[in-house]
Amino acid sequence: MKEVHMICNAHLDPIWQWEWEEGAAAALSTFRAAADLCDEFAYVFCHNEVTLYKYIEEYAPALFERIKKLVRAGKWHIMGGWYLQPDCNMPTGESFIRQIAMGHRYFREKFGVEPTTAINFDPFGHTAGLPQIMKKCGQDSYIICRPGNDPIPNDQFVWEGLDGSRVKVDAAPSYNSPLGGAAKNIEAKADRSDHDTVCVLWGVGNHGGGPSRKDLADIEELKKEGKFELIHSTPEYFFGKIDPQIVHKKSLRTVMPGCYTTMVRIKQKHAELENAIYTTETMCSVAAQRGLIAYPEKDLDEAVEDLLNAEFHDILPGSSVRAGEDNGIRLLEHGLLLCSRLRARAYFAMSAAEPKAKEGEYPILVFNPHPYLWETEIICEFSLADQNWNEDNIAHFTVLDADGNPVPWQMVKEESNLNLDWRKRLVIRGKLAPLAVSRFSVYVTFAPKEKPAAFDSKKIVLDIPGKYAEIDRTTGLLTSYRLNGKEYVLGSGAFLPVMYEDNADPWGMGAFQLQGMGRNPKPFTLEAEPAGMFSGMKPVQIIEDGDIYLGVEAFFVCEHTRIRVEYDIYKTSPCIDVKVDVSAGDANRMIKLEIPSAIPGAYVGQTAFGTEPLYEDGRECIAQRFVAVQGEDDCLAIFNRGTYASSFRDGVISLSLMRTATYCAHPIMERPLLPEGRFIKKIDMGERNFAFRMTAAPIDALERLADEFNRPPYAYNVFPVENDAVIPAFSLSVDDENITLVTMKKQYGKENTYVIRLLSNSAEEKTAALTVGGTSLPLNFGKYEAKTVLYDGKTLTESPAFLI
């Protein structure tokens, strides 16, 4: 007889077509009804997500205590154990760790349980980085409902992650059942399964509901028929009864590919907050280790909770109503505000260890968030001691490092627009000590303005030893990018904006969209006489030229949309930074940025704790901080700050910038997507801004380079206050710079122990030594392995688990 494990649940989206308050109300009514039915029927109610339990704890404390008793009695099962059901492609590996570990922490403290089966019914695909993370967070199995449109071997299988970790997976056909129709739904699902032991999810969703009296009574009648052995079960009990042998070794994609581009502000701020949190944790850890501050555990936890809530699978993917977008931005901005205050606390505390400024010195104090000596560009704004009203002689600078050696510098346009020699934005190239504050000294003199360099009328060229770059004035495109004589882009030109016809659906649910987002591509053209917000500009113009970089901007137009592309071509490194400003004036469009690669190779991208192959047939891809064409010797790599989607065909990388879809326009059968005869607000209309970096490098260096682009130096002009106290030093380093420091933080619940997370984003095994103070620990990394090391002020200990 077929054994059917019935998992009763009530899938609840805290935000989707409603605001969070309505989601909280739905949780209150659903949990109360489920608890009442636990007193009447012999069934088990299963539910996950810390966010919803926190609503009950705060708004219905008596019900919360009642649920505790039901958990102890085995009538209510805490399943999943994550903070909530996040998007399962865009968060970094560390963010997934926080989703699980902070969820487990809450359920352990409140209910005394730590679920071993992960639950993500509704997210739109799942990264192959998850098995390692689940295993090292104490979970061995996973229930999903959207395995992707790529084929899976079976609905019960073993999922092997990029590092070789394995978890059992059940891909359920759906997470709910119609009100009053649970018994028929359970029977139909069980009949369709080829397995002797079956998991069936049931209960009313999406806006709450769960079980009903009729459903439970009907299930009792179905039991009496004896067709199946029906068990009111839990995910852990079900997985204990199955032993799948079929192995799947890829990410589970692609589902609803449009959502990886929709609501770009949420995605960009999500990436910004991730980087801010892990940089802030590291800075605060260093300052605390030096005895300068108390580690701000409570405030940092609050910022992490903001991040985790914003990663919900209808916020981060951009599939909610506008109120959901607003809520997500509020969460992310609040987390960013907390981090900015905490970073400043740590930074100014560390700056106090510096000696007072010398006469005429403007000290620039720079914190390096990476565990290796880093030579890089450093940006700092500051004000001259007095306003200079002399138009003939303007400020010039001498910049020295801590040893008194001159370093390259360049003055560029400051944020302010006062036409006065006073506010300054300085870019310098210097070496930064690992996880420490380095000092540069700026001295001011006044001299006549320098004349700008002359360039060919048809092209703008940077030709220096080891690097050649060329921009065509007639197209505004980068037509050559050579490093050490090797060409990386085709002469047709890179960074061409292209507009595609799209539809109003923010998810991209159409069958045609699974083959490629957008139709009928139309390239933007260089605007002969820029108008609108770019009025008065030349089509292509040089905006910066100095010892650090050559800055060029070009202006493009297509239909009612205008785009500015800025190229910052560095003279001190192989990189080119590209900033893109879009003024979107057309609805139901998708905009991509094309880079034709001159090197043949596979298309790859970063995922959570790994790098994986991406589609090469024009289908929409999902990656995190970089995509790259992997050649024989090195890669043409494009780094980003919160641009997750792209496509690749015939050697052309197409970065997906934005979609002007409609809020929560959900396809339903053959009905019109939108109400007719009224204006409906569109997503991402108006100005949106993007940032990219292009370089060529070995594949094992891409994780580090992406980190450097997203976690730049923290630099300000600070005049240290005199301090006679002896401030102890702190040092942390890794002897392989391509082993990246994910974060360093105080371990929760431990007074003097710190968690150090390291990542080897390489397909090859590696050995590296971590050194903290005078203590070293050799570490053996498997492929794509992240490791946790505990430091108690004296000893280093490797932990097999992902602790926080």
Side-chain angles (χ1 to χ4, degrees), residues 168-407:
K168 299 177 185 178
V169 175
D170 183 81
S174 67
Y175 51 71
N176 61 7
S177 57
L179 179 63
K184 289 182 179 179
N185 190 266
I186 290 167
E187 183 177 15
K189 290 176 180 176
D191 279 334
R192 286 197 298 269
S193 176
D194 295 329
H195 302 288
D196 294 333
T197 304
V198 183
C199 171
V200 173
L201 305 173
W202 74 278
V204 179
N206 180 302
H207 200 28
S212 70
R213 285 184 177 83
K214 181 180 186 308
D215 287 325
L216 288 166
D218 289 347
I219 289 170
E220 289 304 310
E221 292 301 315
L222 184 62
K223 275 187 175 184
K224 294 175 183 177
E225 293 179 11
K227 183 178 180 180
F228 309 111
E229 183 182 353
L230 295 174
I231 303 169
H232 287 293
S233 191
T234 67
E236 283 80 0
Y237 186 60
F238 163 70
F239 277 108
K241 301 295 290 290
I242 67 169
D243 186 24
Q245 299 298 309
I246 301 173
V247 179
H248 183 72
K249 297 185 178 183
K250 296 180 180 179
S251 289
L252 301 170
R253 296 174 179 151
T254 295
V255 181
M256 304 175 187
C259 69
Y260 302 120
T261 307
T262 308
M263 290 189 194
V264 297
R265 290 183 302 169
I266 292 245
K267 293 170 171 58
Q268 290 171 342
K269 288 190 178 295
H270 167 255
E272 185 181 358
L273 182 55
E274 282 186 317
N275 291 303
I277 286 171
Y278 307 132
T279 296
T280 304
E281 287 179 343
T282 301
M283 289 181 71
C284 290
S285 295
V286 172
Q289 285 288 314
R290 298 180 66 186
L292 298 169
I293 65 169
Y295 186 85
E297 184 171 63
K298 182 178 178 182
D299 288 339
L300 280 166
D301 271 0
E302 188 174 351
V304 172
E305 288 175 354
D306 287 333
L307 176 72
L308 302 185
N309 279 310
E311 288 177 340
F312 178 65
H313 63 261
D314 279 313
I315 295 179
L316 182 54
S319 47
S320 70
V321 294
R322 185 166 182 173
E325 180 185 36
D326 293 341
N327 182 277
I329 289 173
R330 282 197 299 271
L331 287 168
L332 295 165
E333 290 282 15
H334 179 253
L336 287 166
L337 177 63
L338 287 171
C339 286
S340 69
R341 291 172 173 170
L342 298 175
R343 279 199 309 275
R345 184 188 303 175
Y347 171 79
F348 286 117
M350 288 186 280
S351 298
E354 290 290 317
K356 290 179 63 178
K358 298 177 183 177
E359 185 68 28
E361 177 194 8
Y362 293 80
I364 306 294
L365 304 184
V366 188
F367 182 81
N368 173 11
H370 305 288
Y372 48 82
L373 182 67
W374 182 22
E375 184 173 4
T376 188
E377 289 76 28
I378 302 150
I379 300 173
C380 181
E381 284 214 6
F382 62 99
S383 297
L384 299 180
D386 196 9
Q387 300 168 359
N388 174 32
W389 289 80
N390 188 328
E391 295 186 18
D392 296 323
N393 290 332
I394 63 169
H396 287 254
F397 300 91
T398 299
V399 184
L400 307 177
D401 65 16
D403 296 324
N405 302 310
V407 298

Side-chain angles (χ1 to χ4, degrees), residues 449-463:
K449 290 182 180 180
E450 296 178 357
K451 293 183 179 180
F455 289 88
D456 185 280
S457 61
K458 293 184 179 179
K459 57 188 178 182
I460 299 170
V461 172
L462 175 68
D463 190 358

Side-chain angles (χ1 to χ4, degrees), residues 653-804:
I653 302 170
S654 295
L655 304 173
S656 301
L657 299 185
M658 58 189 295
R659 301 178 65 226
T660 51
T662 303
Y663 292 98
C664 211
H666 196 298
I668 297 178
M669 298 183 291
E670 300 302 319
R671 299 174 186 176
L673 262 176
L674 301 176
E676 298 177 352
R678 67 185 305 148
F679 171 71
I680 306 292
K681 290 184 178 180
K682 300 293 180 181
I683 301 170
D684 286 330
M685 297 293 283
E687 184 178 346
R688 297 292 183 267
N689 313 106
F690 305 85
F692 304 98
R693 172 170 289 174
M694 179 169 72
T695 195
I699 192 166
D700 281 4
L702 299 189
E703 180 80 22
R704 169 177 59 84
L705 295 173
D707 245 17
E708 291 176 0
F709 184 54
N710 278 275
R711 298 168 74 173
Y714 189 86
Y716 286 93
N717 166 217
V718 177
F719 291 87
V721 178
E722 189 169 9
N723 191 332
D724 295 329
V726 177
I727 299 175
F730 174 79
S731 63
L732 183 154
S733 62
V734 182
D735 62 3
D736 182 340
E737 66 179 6
N738 290 330
I739 302 292
T740 56
L741 175 67
V742 178
T743 193
M744 178 179 180
K745 67 179 296 292
K746 190 180 84 65
Q747 186 181 5
Y748 179 74
K750 304 287 186 180
E751 282 302 314
N752 299 306
T753 302
Y754 282 75
V755 171
I756 300 167
R757 193 107 58 223
L758 301 170
L759 172 64
S760 174
N761 192 9
S762 172
E764 306 298 325
E765 296 182 354
K766 283 190 173 188
T767 300
L770 168 67
T771 302
V772 182
T775 304
S776 292
L777 178 68
L779 297 167
N780 298 315
F781 290 86
K783 67 176 184 176
Y784 302 121
E785 185 177 8
K787 284 187 178 290
T788 299
V789 176
L790 301 178
Y791 177 64
D792 64 2
K794 296 179 181 178
T795 60
L796 293 168
T797 307
E798 183 178 348
S799 169
F802 281 157
L803 303 174
I804 61 169

Side-chain angles (χ1 to χ4, degrees), residues 142-154:
Y142 195 32
I143 300 180
I144 59 176
C145 293
R146 300 185 192 276
N149 291 286
D150 287 347
I152 57 172
N154 196 278

Side-chain angles (χ1 to χ4, degrees), residues 1-255:
M1 183 182 296
K2 188 175 289 188
E3 186 175 288
V4 180
H5 290 253
M6 301 179 295
I7 311 294
C8 180
N9 75 104
H11 179 73
L12 284 162
D13 286 333
I15 291 178
W16 180 31
Q17 299 177 71
W18 42 82
E19 252 284 27
W20 74 268
E21 292 93 339
E22 188 178 339
L28 290 168
S29 61
T30 297
F31 279 32
R32 179 191 54 77
D36 288 347
L37 291 171
C38 282
D39 295 335
E40 298 180 38
F41 293 89
Y43 88 107
V44 181
F45 182 68
C46 303
H47 213 283
N48 54 323
E49 297 186 310
V50 169
T51 296
L52 299 181
Y53 283 90
K54 280 193 167 186
Y55 291 154
I56 310 303
E57 185 178 16
E58 182 172 358
Y59 305 131
L63 175 58
F64 192 75
E65 292 303 314
R66 186 179 172 195
I67 292 171
K68 282 184 178 181
K69 294 178 182 178
L70 291 170
V71 170
R72 289 193 295 270
K75 299 278 290 177
W76 188 297
H77 182 74
I78 305 294
M79 71 175 180
W82 291 29
Y83 203 88
L84 46 64
Q85 292 189 54
D87 175 84
C88 288
N89 282 312
M90 289 180 274
T92 63
E94 185 65 25
S95 295
F96 280 121
I97 291 174
R98 304 306 172 92
Q99 286 284 354
I100 303 174
M102 291 188 73
H104 273 177
R105 185 173 88 188
Y106 178 85
F107 289 123
R108 180 175 62 249
E109 291 176 353
K110 302 297 181 180
F111 298 95
V113 299
E114 291 187 33
T116 59
T117 297
I119 298 292
N120 274 308
F121 296 157
D122 213 18
F124 316 131
H126 310 260
T127 169
L130 279 173
Q132 175 183 192
I133 296 165
M134 287 190 281
K135 288 289 283 189
K136 290 186 177 181
C137 286
Q139 296 195 300
D140 57 14
S141 44
Y142 195 32
I143 300 180
I144 59 176
C145 293
R146 300 185 192 276
N149 291 286
D150 287 347
I152 57 172
N154 196 278
D155 56 0
Q156 294 180 9
F157 59 93
V158 173
W159 190 18
E160 182 175 307
L162 298 172
D163 73 317
S165 297
R166 292 184 170 190
V167 295
K168 299 177 185 178
V169 175
D170 183 81
S174 67
Y175 51 71
N176 61 7
S177 57
L179 179 63
K184 289 182 179 179
N185 190 266
I186 290 167
E187 183 177 15
K189 290 176 180 176
D191 279 334
R192 286 197 298 269
S193 176
D194 295 329
H195 302 288
D196 294 333
T197 304
V198 183
C199 171
V200 173
L201 305 173
W202 74 278
V204 179
N206 180 302
H207 200 28
S212 70
R213 285 184 177 83
K214 181 180 186 308
D215 287 325
L216 288 166
D218 289 347
I219 289 170
E220 289 304 310
E221 292 301 315
L222 184 62
K223 275 187 175 184
K224 294 175 183 177
E225 293 179 11
K227 183 178 180 180
F228 309 111
E229 183 182 353
L230 295 174
I231 303 169
H232 287 293
S233 191
T234 67
E236 283 80 0
Y237 186 60
F238 163 70
F239 277 108
K241 301 295 290 290
I242 67 169
D243 186 24
Q245 299 298 309
I246 301 173
V247 179
H248 183 72
K249 297 185 178 183
K250 296 180 180 179
S251 289
L252 301 170
R253 296 174 179 151
T254 295
V255 181

